[in-house]
Amino acid sequence: MEESTPSSLFGCRFLDTRGFADTARNITLTIALGGLQFVWSVEMGFGSPYLLSLGLQKSVISLVWLAGPLSGLITQPLVGFLSDNCTSRLGRRRPYIIGATVVIILCLTTVGWAREIAGGRQLVAIWLAVAAFYVLDFAINCVQASLRALIVDTLPTSRQNEGTAWASRMIGVGNVLGYLMGFLELPRLLPFLGTTHMQVLTTLASMVLSLCVLVTCYSIKEVPITGSPAHSAEGFKMFSSLISSLRSLPDVVKQIFQVQFFAWIGWFPFLFYSTTYVADIYIANHGGSENEAISDMATRAASLSMFVHAVASLVFSILLPVITYSAASSGLSPPSMHLQGSQDNSLSFVGRVGGFWRRVQKKIAVSLPTMWSMSQSVFAVSMILTLTASTTRSATVLMGACGLSWAVTMWVPFSMLGEIISGTHGPSANISHDSIAGSSSGENSYRQVASGDEDDGEIPLDAIEQNRNKNAHRNSSSTNDEGIGSRALETQEVAEPMSAGTVLGLHNVFAVVPQFITALASSLIFALFEHVKGSQPDAAGGQHATEIAIVFCIGGVSSAVAAYRAWKLSSY
């Protein structure tokens, strides 16, 4: 259990050097995810209008954005597996982070200057931009997989929840900055970065990502693995190892994957159609889309709604972790000392405020799975209510409410997986990391940082002799326990050790596959309405709001299923 520290307010510990050090370390560890999210927001928010301006047909754009799910389905599991077994002198994750970041910068530059590179040839410019977007998505997923695994590698079990909460905050900051760019006249403000809005955006995104990745890679040092990798990275053997890893995962991990599967059936329609939904409502309330000025205002209204969503997500990512406890850091019930700090006997004003806040925390705190279930319930209700929204204001309110759910989605499942991968819950949390992390069978392998270890910025290595018979004996003895405790210890009872990169990569598969399902279902629904009503896509480039709301509603029902399954995880 992590040693108590002086009082804290909203997750920021004060009057404590170690508290400041921990916060600074969490920021440097997760800031690269914020830079990556900024890049992703630029792509998702401005990619389609840019491709249209190059002359690409609307019917083809949907094929371009298949790069997202395809890259997630392929890249994250493979990169996770390969980085788990990487023996580079830079460490396991940093080679992939640095290499993919360079590729992202090259792709962003190609996108921004596609016309200039093509020499004015329209078809060449279109193909350059499309190819760059495809490679960009694969590189983004490579960096994301490595950064998520780095959090699990670096932090002890008792601080996985804190680390992933900071990751959610950084993602929120990246989202806010990305959507904010839609309201600024960038070529006028920053003419030295480019002559068009897209050129300035891609240059800014490259600079922000480079700086954030530099901070993370410089601050978080990995010690190289010595010896041979645990698994072969050759062709069929690599895929067979991934399949074997999936089959051998403990039940609680599989249940988390199932929650994500149902949750992302709801999330993908939101991510792809929410701006079109708000724009269509605005157009319907202002005389139709034939008026170009109305269409421009509709686009701005949609951008505003997503900006509200991003701000709400950032705010909730700061507030919600403070009233949430995890099994690994706090046992199986809200502790009296370890939600965000410890008792402070000081009679100062700061001490009294800290004491009052701890008492409030103890009364309202909920577990990670409960928070996840509540957030999915909010999202389900919001998606179903889109059928009743008739004004831009009401639609924006629903988009903002989804910010709560998005903040939790970017935090809780990763926190739970991190805790399970890095150790067991409760009293036996500080087991050796490589007993479950699938490290090398040689003498040196990664170990989990103990809760009491001083944070010197490195991921240390321990010379540990692998003895699976001993581990098996220890694990089998734990199966005699009953109730929730035995379920928590279930994370050790796996046929094959778990690796952070591999497990998080497989987790991403269950978040990506629903996109294909949703894309097919929404296409059928849109085609059915066009056939029955004879409706056509409007000038804003989307379907009518009612048809999108029906797709949202189906996603909401699936999210309700996810909420129920997350609630069943309450004793994980």
Side-chain angles (χ1 to χ4, degrees):
M1 190 75 70
E2 190 173 356
E3 187 178 352
S4 300
T5 57
S7 58
S8 65
L9 191 60
F10 300 114
C12 298
R13 287 173 285 190
F14 44 85
L15 301 181
D16 173 34
T17 304
R18 181 59 184 267
F20 280 122
D22 287 345
T23 299
R25 179 164 171 76
N26 285 327
I27 291 174
T28 57
L29 175 62
T30 59
I31 193 172
L33 280 169
L36 189 68
Q37 187 66 24
F38 182 81
V39 173
W40 189 84
S41 298
V42 168
E43 180 188 6
M44 293 302 296
F46 307 97
S48 292
Y50 178 70
L51 289 174
L52 288 171
S53 71
L54 291 179
L56 190 66
Q57 295 181 351
K58 295 176 184 177
S59 58
V60 182
I61 288 181
S62 60
L63 299 178
V64 176
W65 299 133
L66 282 177
L70 283 175
S71 60
L73 186 65
I74 298 171
T75 305
Q76 291 215 22
L78 293 183
V79 169
F81 179 88
L82 292 172
S83 64
D84 283 337
N85 296 279
C86 178
T87 57
S88 168
R89 63 184 180 87
L90 294 176
R92 288 194 290 181
R93 316 300 178 188
R94 288 195 298 176
Y96 291 89
I97 295 172
I98 295 171
T101 297
V102 173
V103 174
I104 289 174
I105 293 172
L106 292 175
C107 290
L108 288 173
T109 303
T110 302
V111 167
W113 276 265
R115 286 191 180 95
E116 288 75 6
I117 296 174
R121 291 168 292 182
Q122 183 184 39
L123 186 60
V124 175
I126 290 174
W127 278 106
L128 273 175
V130 169
F133 274 125
Y134 259 82
V135 178
L136 177 64
D137 277 326
F138 277 85
I140 286 175
N141 273 280
C142 180
V143 176
Q144 184 183 57
S146 302
L147 289 173
R148 285 290 189 180
L150 187 64
I151 295 174
V152 178
D153 289 344
T154 306
L155 298 177
T157 306
S158 59
R159 289 182 55 201
Q160 288 293 323
N161 182 40
E162 182 182 350
T164 51
W166 273 102
S168 177
R169 292 162 188 160
M170 292 299 168
I171 290 173
V173 171
N175 254 336
V176 170
L177 292 178
Y179 286 117
L180 182 62
M181 296 300 103
F183 298 98
L184 302 177
E185 296 181 21
L186 294 178
R188 183 177 63 84
L189 296 174
L190 302 169
F192 52 90
L193 295 182
T195 58
T196 67
H197 192 81
M198 198 63 177
Q199 287 178 355
V200 179
L201 264 181
T202 53
T203 304
L204 271 179
S206 297
M207 294 170 61
V208 170
L209 179 64
S210 299
L211 178 61
C212 293
V213 168
L214 177 63
V215 170
T216 295
C217 289
Y218 178 79
S219 304
I220 309 300
K221 297 179 175 61
E222 296 181 273
V223 180
I225 295 177
T226 58
S228 58
H231 300 288
S232 171
E234 298 178 359
F236 178 76
K237 291 183 179 180
M238 179 168 56
F239 286 99
S240 63
S241 295
L242 285 171
I243 295 174
S244 176
S245 298
L246 178 60
R247 290 175 177 172
S248 64
L249 291 174
D251 288 343
V252 66
V253 175
K254 294 178 181 178
Q255 290 165 7
I256 292 173
F257 288 1
Q258 291 168 9
V259 175
Q260 286 288 66
F261 179 86
F262 287 105
W264 279 89
I265 289 179
W267 275 117
F268 278 123
F270 175 85
L271 295 175
F272 278 90
Y273 300 121
S274 55
T275 53
T276 305
Y277 168 76
V278 177
D280 285 347
I281 289 180
Y282 185 94
I283 290 170
N285 290 330
H286 292 80
S289 60
E290 295 300 323
N291 189 322
E292 184 176 351
I294 293 295
S295 295
D296 290 340
M297 292 299 296
T299 301
R300 287 185 175 272
S303 297
L304 176 62
S305 71
M306 295 311 298
F307 180 72
V308 169
H309 164 79
V311 171
S313 176
L314 176 59
V315 171
F316 284 118
S317 71
I318 295 172
L319 298 180
L320 294 182
V322 185
I323 58 171
T324 309
Y325 64 89
S326 65
S329 60
S330 308
L332 296 173
S333 60
S336 59
M337 310 276 280
H338 288 279
L339 276 167
Q340 288 290 338
S342 65
Q343 301 246 354
D344 188 348
N345 295 321
S346 172
L347 297 179
S348 66
F349 173 76
V350 169
R352 290 195 298 271
V353 171
F356 171 76
W357 176 242
R358 285 192 301 277
R359 290 192 294 272
V360 173
Q361 282 180 306
K362 287 162 58 178
K363 291 182 179 297
I364 64 177
V366 297
S367 67
L368 286 174
T370 300
M371 179 61 73
W372 197 10
S373 178
M374 292 167 60
S375 72
Q376 284 300 126
S377 298
V378 171
F379 182 65
V381 171
S382 299
M383 289 295 94
I384 293 173
L385 287 178
T386 57
L387 283 170
T388 65
S390 58
T391 64
T392 306
R393 179 175 296 180
S394 60
T396 301
V397 169
L398 293 177
M399 299 300 107
C402 293
L404 181 153
S405 308
W406 182 250
V408 175
T409 298
M410 293 292 100
W411 152 48
V412 168
F414 295 99
S415 178
M416 294 170 65
L417 288 173
E419 292 174 355
I420 294 168
I421 294 168
S422 64
T424 56
H425 308 317
S428 57
N430 293 324
I431 66 170
S432 168
H433 177 64
D434 57 299
S435 68
I436 60 172
S439 300
S440 157
S441 58
E443 292 184 353
N444 293 331
S445 55
Y446 282 86
R447 72 170 174 86
Q448 184 61 38
V449 182
S451 297
D453 287 352
E454 290 297 322
D455 237 341
D456 59 1
E458 291 191 357
I459 305 174
L461 291 167
D462 237 359
I464 299 174
E465 183 68 27
Q466 296 288 337
N467 188 337
R468 294 193 179 185
N469 290 332
K470 182 178 179 179
N471 288 338
H473 175 72
R474 180 190 62 191
N475 295 341
S476 63
S477 64
S478 68
T479 60
N480 294 325
D481 297 333
E482 295 181 357
I484 293 175
S486 63
R487 188 173 181 183
L489 291 174
E490 183 183 11
T491 56
Q492 297 185 44
E493 302 168 21
V494 292
E496 292 291 332
M498 288 194 293
S499 306
T502 301
V503 174
L504 292 175
L506 292 172
H507 162 259
N508 191 69
V509 171
F510 283 83
V512 166
V513 170
Q515 181 163 351
F516 296 100
I517 298 174
T518 301
L520 176 61
S522 58
S523 296
L524 292 175
I525 290 173
F526 294 153
L528 178 63
F529 270 82
E530 287 183 7
H531 176 73
V532 173
K533 297 169 54 179
S535 62
Q536 297 295 329
D538 57 42
Q543 300 290 335
H544 293 296
T546 301
E547 300 160 33
I548 297 175
I550 290 175
V551 175
F552 283 167
C553 188
I554 294 173
V557 172
S558 181
S559 298
V561 175
Y564 172 75
R565 298 190 73 88
W567 177 75
K568 297 289 284 185
L569 277 168
S570 60
S571 61
Y572 91 108

